[in-house]
Amino acid sequence: MRGLFPFAAFFGTISAQFLEPAPTSAVKPILNGTAEFDSLFNYAPKAPPAVPFPGNTNTTGKNSPVPIPNTNTTANVAANRFSAQAACTLTPNNPTKFWRETVNLNGASPFNADPTYQVYRNVRTYGAKGDGVTDDSGAFQFAIDAWSRSSNFQQTTAPALIYVPAGTYKISNSIKMLVGTMMIGDPLNKPVLKADANLGTRPIIDGFDSSRFLGSTTNFYIGIKNIKLDTTAISVGTSAVALNWPVSQATQLYNVDFSMPNFSQHVGITMDGGSSGGGSGTILSDLSFTGGAIGIRLNNQQYMFKSLKFNGCNTAIAISHVFFLTVQDASFMNCGTGIDMSGNGVAGSVSLIDSSANSVGIVVNAYKTGNGAGSLVVENFVSTNSGATVSQSNGGQTLVSGSVPNTWVMGNANPGNYQGGTFYTTSRSSSLLASNGKYFLMPQPQYQQYGNDQFVNVKDQGVKGDGATDDTAAINAILLANAGCKIIYFPQGTYLVYDTIYIPPGTRIVGDVWSTISAVGSKFWDANNPHVMVRVGNAGEVGVAQITDMLFTTADVLNGAILVEVNMAGSSPGDVGLWNSHFRIGGAVDSKVDTNCAGPDASDCKAAFLMLHIAPTGSPYIENMWGWTADHSLDGGPSQVISTGRGALIRSTKATWMIGTAFEHNTLYQYNIVNAQNVLISFQQTETAYWQGPGAPISAPTPWAVNSAYSDPNFAGCGAGDAQCRMGWAQRISGGSNIYVYGSGFWVFFNGLTFASGHGYGGSDGCEASCCQSSICQTSAAEIVSGPRSLYWYNVNTHLFTNLIVDGTNIAKQLNNPGSWGGVVAAFLAHSSA
């Protein structure tokens, strides 16, 4: 999330908001519930509290053995109602209207001070006509800005779902998005937002929320789906822009079409966040670009581009700046240039896989540096009637032409040296492939082929989602009763659960603007006996389990909480999957972590045990996932010094696809791949916890006990007092086989938080700013142990690490692989043999 931009021009702006304690009046208590319920959360993190719980009549100040949650009489009603439901089958019925127009849209924000606050807004209700003649830009902005959202510092309390029915909407002024907003069009008949001829160089949609002193690297939780953006009414000589998108993690741009005039100066996507840069993104998926000068002008720290189609663009992707980019399943047709990375230093590394070009002048125009910068990997590429597949911009030579049936590498190979363009063989596991030989990819399910009679709204069936009621029993009853029968719709809300939610085979779940499931209670207290909040199937079960647009978190400091565990496999790839679903620990008013974890010692805030566990029997497809342990409060609360034990533990053996994922600020590791088989990771991004390193009161594994049952690292290779070594791993790979990684970005910025004088980092604005140890903040990024087989790892990028990869005595050092933001290894193939 963090990076070069916010600390150059943006850090000073946000410091008062994000790094100073908020006034007491601005720190909102959790839940807006009773005082008795609020006391549930006020306990010492290391042990259960000695306070009465709702329903506990014990007045001695001690807890009953099992705390009694807030009574929910509707839970039993729901259980009885659904327990004997007859068998049924979910069958597409091809409705004429999208279900979001007709289903009961009763989402609410339980933490908003206004009880009348509306989450769902149909732009027609706010005055938009969609007739192609009326100026609808004011109606769109009215729908987005309604309820005084821009003046509310609490970002998470004001989610908005902006629904756009079919029609053509004339736009004469830029529509400005806000954090916490998702704009969704009708996928059955995509609405068109057409620029008025006088819009000029202003974008149709400006996705940059600069309110509340936000910068591009704190523009989270913004989404656009199922929209057409059309600039054809603007003159071809004008530098028109369809969308400005300088955003960061937990954002979504999906199923959007860009229509621009041929032979024009128009640009589909720009990433202009002013002095705060282009953002820290994760993924753009399933987009199309027609015409124009440039499809995407890329200016961001990192990105995954998945299933993008370019037709008639002069340049499809023009890179102004990126540290690493993974392009998968792209189609370039009738373009002058596919990817322009011709400037010296504009790109750290680019991976182009499973893509094609037809009638393209130059597919990739690259700058050959002779070191890690500008690394390029091309794999399984099909060229038809096109010029050079890779052309060297500084010299004009053709480096490779025609199709690339296997893997071509330009950059540092380890073991080995700089490769000016070398072919390698990547032996792909058939279990990860589609029938066409490409890696399997799947569009995000939106269930537009089902009418509203095929949906169950959980709030209509006794679930509250009010951030105060125990919804565990009611949710479990509804899921069991409707598996294979209905699609389960979670309207916006915070759904408290005191025990495991079991996702049975046959389940399809969809949320609103990241509807939240939040753990609470004694079941999740014990780090020695961790407990799962959401369990996707049981070991050995096979079927469908799909989750879209959801958020997983904890309502308090819960040492033993495993947020999501995947045990199921599908009959077909993608049957089990999560799309646009994220983890957040702390950072918002919906959790006591937000106010009880101001530091400086993270031992006082062991907030969650593990974010994501993919068990050996699990086989999920995961696209667009951010696992974030908060480094600041989104809602203006105090500083966050939080210790989440672990990020993603991957132990699957059947097939796992992780497409555009990121895990940040976890104590022991961000990714841990243990004895896994058949794993594809296309784009991964990490950050080390800001509070770790020299200057921190504790060093890893503290405050956690090493738990061998969860394959924890023990940091045995670090000296007892070596705080710069005892920091969370970006990634560990232990044993396993058939592991494929395309694009890794492992970042570290700070060495310890200090509160001695104000709220600074490492005592002198962090090791990035103070250049301690020659601008090194952490010893090692990634570790390989126990000899994996058939490991193919392409384009590993690091920032401020001494060692990129530690593999026994084979260590890839930043000193020997300089480039981009620190170090780049284009191909790590030491374990590529079977």
Side-chain angles (χ1 to χ4, degrees), residues 204-227:
I204 299 174
I205 297 178
D206 188 353
F208 177 47
D209 182 354
S210 59
S211 67
R212 298 176 293 252
F213 309 108
L214 293 173
S216 60
T217 55
T218 49
N219 264 235
F220 308 138
Y221 304 108
I222 305 174
I224 301 175
K225 302 184 191 181
N226 315 325
I227 298 287

Short mmCIF file of all heavy atoms in Angstrom, two decimals, residues 204-227:
data_model
loop_
_atom_site.label_atom_id
_atom_site.label_comp_id
_atom_site.label_asym_id
_atom_site.label_seq_id
_atom_site.Cartn_x
_atom_site.Cartn_y
_atom_site.Cartn_z
N ILE A 204 -14.50 11.03 -17.98
CA ILE A 204 -15.91 10.76 -17.72
C ILE A 204 -16.11 10.41 -16.25
O ILE A 204 -16.99 10.94 -15.57
CB ILE A 204 -16.42 9.61 -18.62
CG1 ILE A 204 -16.29 9.97 -20.09
CG2 ILE A 204 -17.86 9.25 -18.28
CD1 ILE A 204 -16.62 8.81 -21.03
N ILE A 205 -15.28 9.50 -15.74
CA ILE A 205 -15.28 9.16 -14.32
C ILE A 205 -13.90 9.43 -13.76
O ILE A 205 -12.89 8.99 -14.31
CB ILE A 205 -15.64 7.68 -14.08
CG1 ILE A 205 -17.05 7.37 -14.57
CG2 ILE A 205 -15.52 7.32 -12.60
CD1 ILE A 205 -17.45 5.90 -14.42
N ASP A 206 -13.85 10.18 -12.67
CA ASP A 206 -12.61 10.40 -11.94
C ASP A 206 -12.64 9.50 -10.71
O ASP A 206 -13.35 9.75 -9.75
CB ASP A 206 -12.48 11.86 -11.53
CG ASP A 206 -11.11 12.17 -10.94
OD1 ASP A 206 -10.32 11.22 -10.73
OD2 ASP A 206 -10.83 13.35 -10.66
N GLY A 207 -11.86 8.41 -10.75
CA GLY A 207 -11.85 7.44 -9.66
C GLY A 207 -10.97 7.82 -8.50
O GLY A 207 -10.77 7.01 -7.59
N PHE A 208 -10.42 9.03 -8.49
CA PHE A 208 -9.51 9.46 -7.43
C PHE A 208 -10.27 10.26 -6.38
O PHE A 208 -10.77 11.35 -6.67
CB PHE A 208 -8.39 10.30 -8.04
CG PHE A 208 -7.42 10.87 -7.03
CD1 PHE A 208 -6.89 10.07 -6.04
CD2 PHE A 208 -7.03 12.19 -7.09
CE1 PHE A 208 -5.99 10.57 -5.13
CE2 PHE A 208 -6.12 12.72 -6.19
CZ PHE A 208 -5.60 11.91 -5.20
N ASP A 209 -10.35 9.71 -5.18
CA ASP A 209 -11.00 10.40 -4.06
C ASP A 209 -9.93 11.17 -3.30
O ASP A 209 -9.13 10.59 -2.56
CB ASP A 209 -11.67 9.38 -3.14
CG ASP A 209 -12.42 10.03 -1.98
OD1 ASP A 209 -12.33 11.27 -1.83
OD2 ASP A 209 -13.10 9.30 -1.23
N SER A 210 -9.89 12.48 -3.49
CA SER A 210 -8.91 13.32 -2.81
C SER A 210 -9.49 13.97 -1.57
O SER A 210 -8.81 14.76 -0.90
CB SER A 210 -8.40 14.41 -3.77
OG SER A 210 -9.48 15.22 -4.22
N SER A 211 -10.73 13.66 -1.24
CA SER A 211 -11.34 14.24 -0.03
C SER A 211 -10.71 13.62 1.20
O SER A 211 -10.03 12.60 1.14
CB SER A 211 -12.84 13.99 -0.05
OG SER A 211 -13.12 12.60 0.08
N ARG A 212 -10.93 14.25 2.36
CA ARG A 212 -10.41 13.74 3.63
C ARG A 212 -8.89 13.56 3.58
O ARG A 212 -8.34 12.67 4.22
CB ARG A 212 -11.10 12.42 4.01
CG ARG A 212 -12.60 12.55 4.22
CD ARG A 212 -13.21 11.19 4.48
NE ARG A 212 -13.13 10.33 3.32
CZ ARG A 212 -14.18 10.00 2.57
NH1 ARG A 212 -15.37 10.45 2.90
NH2 ARG A 212 -14.06 9.20 1.54
N PHE A 213 -8.22 14.35 2.76
CA PHE A 213 -6.76 14.33 2.65
C PHE A 213 -6.25 12.99 2.14
O PHE A 213 -5.13 12.58 2.46
CB PHE A 213 -6.10 14.66 4.00
CG PHE A 213 -6.63 15.91 4.63
CD1 PHE A 213 -7.45 15.86 5.74
CD2 PHE A 213 -6.33 17.16 4.09
CE1 PHE A 213 -7.94 17.01 6.32
CE2 PHE A 213 -6.82 18.31 4.67
CZ PHE A 213 -7.63 18.24 5.78
N LEU A 214 -7.04 12.28 1.37
CA LEU A 214 -6.62 10.99 0.85
C LEU A 214 -5.64 11.15 -0.30
O LEU A 214 -5.77 12.05 -1.12
CB LEU A 214 -7.83 10.19 0.39
CG LEU A 214 -8.81 9.74 1.47
CD1 LEU A 214 -10.03 9.10 0.83
CD2 LEU A 214 -8.15 8.77 2.42
N GLY A 215 -4.67 10.24 -0.38
CA GLY A 215 -3.78 10.16 -1.52
C GLY A 215 -4.09 8.91 -2.31
O GLY A 215 -4.93 8.08 -1.93
N SER A 216 -3.41 8.73 -3.43
CA SER A 216 -3.70 7.58 -4.27
C SER A 216 -3.44 6.27 -3.56
O SER A 216 -4.14 5.28 -3.79
CB SER A 216 -2.87 7.66 -5.56
OG SER A 216 -1.49 7.66 -5.26
N THR A 217 -2.43 6.22 -2.67
CA THR A 217 -2.12 4.98 -1.98
C THR A 217 -3.04 4.68 -0.80
O THR A 217 -2.88 3.67 -0.13
CB THR A 217 -0.65 4.97 -1.50
OG1 THR A 217 -0.42 6.13 -0.69
CG2 THR A 217 0.30 4.94 -2.67
N THR A 218 -3.99 5.57 -0.54
CA THR A 218 -5.04 5.26 0.45
C THR A 218 -6.42 5.31 -0.19
O THR A 218 -7.42 5.40 0.52
CB THR A 218 -4.96 6.23 1.65
OG1 THR A 218 -4.88 7.58 1.18
CG2 THR A 218 -3.76 5.92 2.52
N ASN A 219 -6.48 5.23 -1.49
CA ASN A 219 -7.76 5.09 -2.18
C ASN A 219 -8.11 3.61 -2.27
O ASN A 219 -7.76 2.92 -3.23
CB ASN A 219 -7.69 5.71 -3.59
CG ASN A 219 -8.21 7.13 -3.64
OD1 ASN A 219 -9.09 7.47 -4.42
ND2 ASN A 219 -7.65 7.97 -2.79
N PHE A 220 -8.76 3.10 -1.21
CA PHE A 220 -9.17 1.71 -1.13
C PHE A 220 -10.67 1.60 -1.38
O PHE A 220 -11.42 2.60 -1.33
CB PHE A 220 -8.89 1.13 0.26
CG PHE A 220 -7.49 1.32 0.75
CD1 PHE A 220 -7.25 1.67 2.07
CD2 PHE A 220 -6.40 1.11 -0.07
CE1 PHE A 220 -5.96 1.84 2.56
CE2 PHE A 220 -5.10 1.27 0.39
CZ PHE A 220 -4.88 1.64 1.71
N TYR A 221 -11.14 0.37 -1.59
CA TYR A 221 -12.57 0.06 -1.58
C TYR A 221 -13.38 0.96 -2.51
O TYR A 221 -14.31 1.66 -2.11
CB TYR A 221 -13.13 0.12 -0.15
CG TYR A 221 -12.39 -0.78 0.81
CD1 TYR A 221 -11.54 -0.27 1.78
CD2 TYR A 221 -12.53 -2.16 0.72
CE1 TYR A 221 -10.84 -1.09 2.64
CE2 TYR A 221 -11.84 -3.00 1.58
CZ TYR A 221 -11.00 -2.46 2.54
OH TYR A 221 -10.30 -3.29 3.39
N ILE A 222 -13.00 0.94 -3.78
CA ILE A 222 -13.75 1.62 -4.83
C ILE A 222 -13.94 0.61 -5.96
O ILE A 222 -13.01 -0.14 -6.29
CB ILE A 222 -13.00 2.86 -5.36
CG1 ILE A 222 -12.65 3.82 -4.23
CG2 ILE A 222 -13.81 3.59 -6.42
CD1 ILE A 222 -11.79 5.00 -4.66
N GLY A 223 -15.12 0.56 -6.55
CA GLY A 223 -15.34 -0.42 -7.60
C GLY A 223 -16.24 0.09 -8.71
O GLY A 223 -17.14 0.92 -8.49
N ILE A 224 -15.99 -0.40 -9.93
CA ILE A 224 -16.85 -0.12 -11.09
C ILE A 224 -17.01 -1.42 -11.85
O ILE A 224 -16.02 -2.09 -12.18
CB ILE A 224 -16.25 0.96 -12.01
CG1 ILE A 224 -16.04 2.27 -11.26
CG2 ILE A 224 -17.15 1.19 -13.23
CD1 ILE A 224 -15.32 3.34 -12.09
N LYS A 225 -18.28 -1.79 -12.15
CA LYS A 225 -18.57 -3.01 -12.89
C LYS A 225 -19.63 -2.74 -13.95
O LYS A 225 -20.55 -1.94 -13.72
CB LYS A 225 -19.13 -4.11 -11.97
CG LYS A 225 -18.29 -4.56 -10.81
CD LYS A 225 -19.01 -5.72 -10.11
CE LYS A 225 -18.39 -6.06 -8.78
NZ LYS A 225 -19.06 -7.19 -8.13
N ASN A 226 -19.51 -3.43 -15.05
CA ASN A 226 -20.58 -3.51 -16.06
C ASN A 226 -20.98 -2.14 -16.61
O ASN A 226 -22.15 -1.77 -16.62
CB ASN A 226 -21.84 -4.19 -15.47
CG ASN A 226 -21.53 -5.43 -14.67
OD1 ASN A 226 -20.62 -6.17 -15.00
ND2 ASN A 226 -22.29 -5.66 -13.61
N ILE A 227 -20.00 -1.40 -17.07
CA ILE A 227 -20.23 -0.05 -17.60
C ILE A 227 -19.52 0.07 -18.95
O ILE A 227 -18.45 -0.52 -19.17
CB ILE A 227 -19.68 1.03 -16.64
CG1 ILE A 227 -20.39 0.96 -15.28
CG2 ILE A 227 -19.80 2.41 -17.23
CD1 ILE A 227 -21.80 1.46 -15.27
#
